[in-house]
């Protein structure tokens, strides 16, 4: 719970407890705004909280203040001295007040449109996406700053395309904006495209890179149409663009933030073995999400949800720390195994990532030589020079480096020879092609020969049949992993599996 002004905390917290508001964490995620002091500033704060889609309780000294508080965006009311209105009925009331304001056309937008009655006018409705996810991941203060930064970007687009008198930008609950343009429809279409592009670019606030995105709809004026009708058509057009903010991935992104804190992200380990001797040489650490409703989810959906929620870096860091901590505590029967863990392209962009990673390894007392870091070949291509420098630092410290999913992207001698790499990991589809046509086998053989010509060892992923294993060994592949050897398993199962071999 956050109280404003700060002095209200001492004065009103006991009253709120007695009124039954604070039970455990019931108000942990709500702003409480005291209207009994500085009412104008309090109303301004309520509006800012509504714009950021944040729940807010208004503390009232006079019941007559309830109307202005609801209109400003309060989702809960508490009348000091007794009497509480709360919950869904008030939230619905707030929505009705806002909808009535929109329909009337009496606000700033309606006035702007009325002044240009008869001119060609187009409204661009912008609804910001993922703000709830940003609030959950980084805090609501950053979310408020993000809305303001988005508004500045939209305003910059309008300023670049039209005279100030021919445009208007109004912030509306949702959160979002309505941009109004007087002039040809083609100009509004161009503005909408540039607004979408501007909002798709990452925002960097307080050292955090955040991606929002937006849903955008347009509606043009019609002869003899009242401004309220144009506003209503724009809202309907936005509804017709679809419910991306409510799709499964959005819900997963919200779940993931809570799931990381609740320990739902866990690890499994898939063994790797020498094709020549059959000896177990190491394991690859793989993340799984034990979702309370959907069950175990793999890394693909896990990272897709993290990307949608703007917490991909936080997830990658979380998984790396899980791997290192778990491996550092392994019993003696597992301590000889090397461990591979995956880096993301975003990790390569982090300042001093290699040094931070190695510091954490050293703090746990892990030998660098037991660790192999894997990065996909497509992930390397954004900045090959920077990636090479980072991987060189890790390799110079004793870690080994592998290019994962090799054969799915930009495979070539030109860039391979510039990278400090120890292994190539053949993508599952490429490794399984070894048992396909003669042409398929030639392609696999070429990839293995290219790697060996550079002094690199080759690991085949996704090996499922004895025929695949035998042919890969024949072509000079050194190591394999896949269901033929073992499925991914948790640590206790891995220890039992190793002991039984």
């Amino acid at each position: 719970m956050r109280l404003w002004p700060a002095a209200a905390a001492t004065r009103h917290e006991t009253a709120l407890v007695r009124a039954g508001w604070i039970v455990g964490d019931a108000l942990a995620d709500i702003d409480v705004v005291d209207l009994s002091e500085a009412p104008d500033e309090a109303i301004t704060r309520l509006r800012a909280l509504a714009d950021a889609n944040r729940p807010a309780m208004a503390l009232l000294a006079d019941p007559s203040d309830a109307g202005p508080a609801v209109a400003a965006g309060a989702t809960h009311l508490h009348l000091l001295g007794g009497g509480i209105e709360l919950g869904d009925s008030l939230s619905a009331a707030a929505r009705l007040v806002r909808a009535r304001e929109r329909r009337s056309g009496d606000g700033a937008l309606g006035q702007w449109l009325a002044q240009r009655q008869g001119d060609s006018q187009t409204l661009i409705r912008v609804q910001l996406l993922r703000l709830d996810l940003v609030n959950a991941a980084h805090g609501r203060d950053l979310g408020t700053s993000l809305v303001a930064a988005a508004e500045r970007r939209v305003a910059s687009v309008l300023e670049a395309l039209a005279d100030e008198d021919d445009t208007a930008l109004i912030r509306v609950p949702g959160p979002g904006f309505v941009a109004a343009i007087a002039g040809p429809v083609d100009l509004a279409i161009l503005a909408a495209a540039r607004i979408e592009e501007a909002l798709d670019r990452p925002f960097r606030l307080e050292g955090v890179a955040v991606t929002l995105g937006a849903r955008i709809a347009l509606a043009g004026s019609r002869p003899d149409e009242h401004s309220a009708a144009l506003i209503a058509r724009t809202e309907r057009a936005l509804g017709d663009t679809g419910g991306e903010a409510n799709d499964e991935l959005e819900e997963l992104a919200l779940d993931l933030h809570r799931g990381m804190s609740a320990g739902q992200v866990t690890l499994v380990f898939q063994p790797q073995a020498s094709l020549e001797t059959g000896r177990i040489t190491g394991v690859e650490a793989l993340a799984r999400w034990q979702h309370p409703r959907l069950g175990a989810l793999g890394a693909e959906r896990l990272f897709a949800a993290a990307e949608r929620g703007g917490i991909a870096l936080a997830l990658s860091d979380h998984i790396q720390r899980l791997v290192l901590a778990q491996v550092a505590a392994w019993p003696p029967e597992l301590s000889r195994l090397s461990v591979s863990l995956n880096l993301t392209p975003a990790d390569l962009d982090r300042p001093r990532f290699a040094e931070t990673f190695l510091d954490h390894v050293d703090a746990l007392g892990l030998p660098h030589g037991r660790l192999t870091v894997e990065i996909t070949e497509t992930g390397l291509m954004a900045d090959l020079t920077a990636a090479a420098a980072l991987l060189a630092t890790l390799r110079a410290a004793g870690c080994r480096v592998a290019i994962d999913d090799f054969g799915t992207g930009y495979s070539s001698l030109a860039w391979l020879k510039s990278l400090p790499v120890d292994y190539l990991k053949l993508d599952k589809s490429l490794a399984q092609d070894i048992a396909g046509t003669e042409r398929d086998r030639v392609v696999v053989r070429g990839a293995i020969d290219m790697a060996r010509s550079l002094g690199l060892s080759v690991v085949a992923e996704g090996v499922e049949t004895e025929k695949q294993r035998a042919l890969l060994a024949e072509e000079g592949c050194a190591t394999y992993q896949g269901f033929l050897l073992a499925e991914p398993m948790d640590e206790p199962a891995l220890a039992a599996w190793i002991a039984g071999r």
Side-chain angles (χ1 to χ4, degrees):
M1 182 181 67
R2 296 167 293 275
L3 288 106
W4 183 92
T10 321
R11 188 165 57 254
H12 299 314
E13 192 162 355
T14 301
L16 290 168
V17 172
R18 287 176 180 165
W21 275 111
I22 303 176
V23 180
D25 290 332
L27 281 185
D29 199 32
I30 194 169
D31 289 83
V32 180
V33 178
D34 183 7
L35 266 74
S36 65
E37 292 185 11
D40 291 341
E41 290 96 329
I43 291 294
T44 299
R45 187 168 184 85
L46 285 172
R47 286 174 177 154
L49 294 169
D51 285 344
N53 210 24
R54 292 164 59 168
M57 175 191 290
L59 300 182
L60 311 175
D62 189 324
S64 65
D65 290 332
V70 172
T75 55
H76 302 75
L77 297 181
H78 175 69
L79 183 60
L80 296 170
I84 303 173
E85 286 190 59
L86 62 121
D88 292 338
S89 60
L90 184 57
S91 296
R95 286 194 295 272
L96 285 171
V97 169
R98 293 174 198 159
R100 192 157 52 246
E101 288 176 343
R102 281 206 190 102
R103 286 195 299 270
S104 70
D106 290 337
L109 179 58
Q111 292 174 13
W112 188 91
L113 291 170
Q115 291 168 4
R116 289 157 182 79
Q117 195 76 28
D119 296 339
S120 175
Q121 305 163 346
T122 305
L123 298 187
I124 304 171
R125 178 68 168 90
V126 180
Q127 179 179 330
L128 299 178
L129 301 178
R130 306 174 193 143
L131 193 64
D132 284 345
L133 309 179
V134 173
N135 288 338
H138 304 293
R140 295 186 179 277
D141 288 340
L142 189 138
T144 301
S145 300
L146 194 57
V147 173
E151 184 175 19
R152 289 193 294 272
R153 286 194 184 178
V154 175
S156 296
V157 169
L158 298 178
E159 290 168 7
L161 291 176
D163 293 337
E164 183 178 354
D165 291 342
D166 291 332
T167 64
L169 180 61
I170 293 91
R171 190 186 294 193
V172 295
F177 317 99
V178 176
I181 296 182
V185 173
D186 289 349
L187 180 64
I189 293 172
L190 176 61
R194 292 192 179 177
I195 289 170
E196 183 175 30
E197 180 183 325
L199 295 178
D200 277 343
R201 296 197 309 270
F203 293 81
R204 183 166 289 278
L205 298 170
E206 302 174 17
V208 176
V210 179
T211 302
L212 271 182
R215 284 199 294 144
I216 297 178
L218 292 83
S221 60
R222 296 171 178 171
D224 301 323
E225 181 180 46
H226 191 274
S227 59
L230 175 58
I231 295 170
R233 282 199 298 109
T234 310
E235 291 295 327
R236 288 197 299 272
L238 182 70
D240 292 340
T241 62
E244 180 183 346
N246 296 317
D247 68 13
E248 182 189 19
L249 201 54
E250 294 286 355
E251 294 179 14
L252 283 177
L254 284 170
D255 291 345
L256 178 56
H257 180 71
R258 294 186 287 265
M260 288 167 61
S261 301
Q264 294 171 8
V265 178
T266 61
L267 299 174
V268 291
F269 301 90
Q270 186 166 41
Q272 300 167 333
S274 166
L275 275 164
E276 182 179 359
T277 66
R279 183 177 67 87
I280 303 302
T281 58
V283 294
E284 180 181 2
L286 302 166
R288 295 289 184 267
W289 182 8
Q290 307 302 324
H291 192 280
R293 178 172 53 87
L294 301 175
L297 303 180
E300 184 175 349
R301 292 183 77 185
L302 177 59
F303 273 94
E307 288 286 350
R308 179 64 60 90
I311 56 173
L313 272 178
L315 175 64
S316 182
D317 185 67
H318 182 75
I319 292 170
Q320 290 164 25
R321 290 178 178 273
L322 280 179
V323 173
L324 296 176
Q326 196 161 330
V327 171
W330 270 359
E333 60 268 27
L334 299 179
S335 61
R336 66 175 180 82
L337 296 175
S338 66
V339 179
S340 299
L341 69 160
N342 293 278
L343 304 184
T344 68
D347 288 323
L348 304 185
D349 291 334
R350 297 166 72 175
R352 295 184 55 80
F353 170 78
E355 292 79 5
T356 302
F357 177 83
L358 292 170
D359 286 346
H360 191 55
V361 173
D362 291 338
L364 292 167
L366 270 173
H368 295 182
R370 287 186 62 195
L371 298 175
T372 298
V373 294
E374 299 185 8
I375 180 74
T376 63
E377 59 175 327
T378 50
L380 290 167
M381 299 311 296
D383 190 340
L384 196 59
T385 302
L390 184 149
L391 296 177
T393 300
L394 294 173
R395 194 164 182 254
C399 299
R400 284 169 287 189
V401 175
I403 297 178
D404 197 13
D405 296 341
F406 184 76
T408 60
Y410 304 88
S411 312
S412 74
L413 280 169
W415 68 264
L416 269 180
K417 67 182 182 181
S418 68
L419 291 170
V421 175
D422 299 283
Y423 304 101
L424 294 187
K425 297 191 72 175
L426 294 183
D427 181 67
K428 174 180 178 179
S429 61
L430 192 61
Q432 292 180 350
D433 280 348
I434 193 72
T437 66
E438 181 58 31
R439 173 174 281 185
D440 291 334
R441 188 169 177 180
V442 167
V443 172
V444 180
R445 182 186 299 132
I448 295 173
D449 287 346
M450 181 169 62
R452 294 177 67 190
S453 71
L454 294 171
L456 306 179
S457 185
V458 179
V459 180
E461 296 183 289
V463 179
E464 297 180 354
T465 70
E466 179 57 35
K467 182 179 181 180
Q468 292 169 0
R469 189 204 66 79
L471 290 172
L472 287 164
E474 183 180 324
E475 295 297 343
C477 187
T479 306
Y480 77 107
Q481 68 184 80
F483 287 175
L484 178 65
L485 178 63
E487 295 184 10
M489 59 192 87
D490 61 19
E491 182 185 317
L494 175 64
W497 186 82
I498 292 287
R501 285 182 65 85

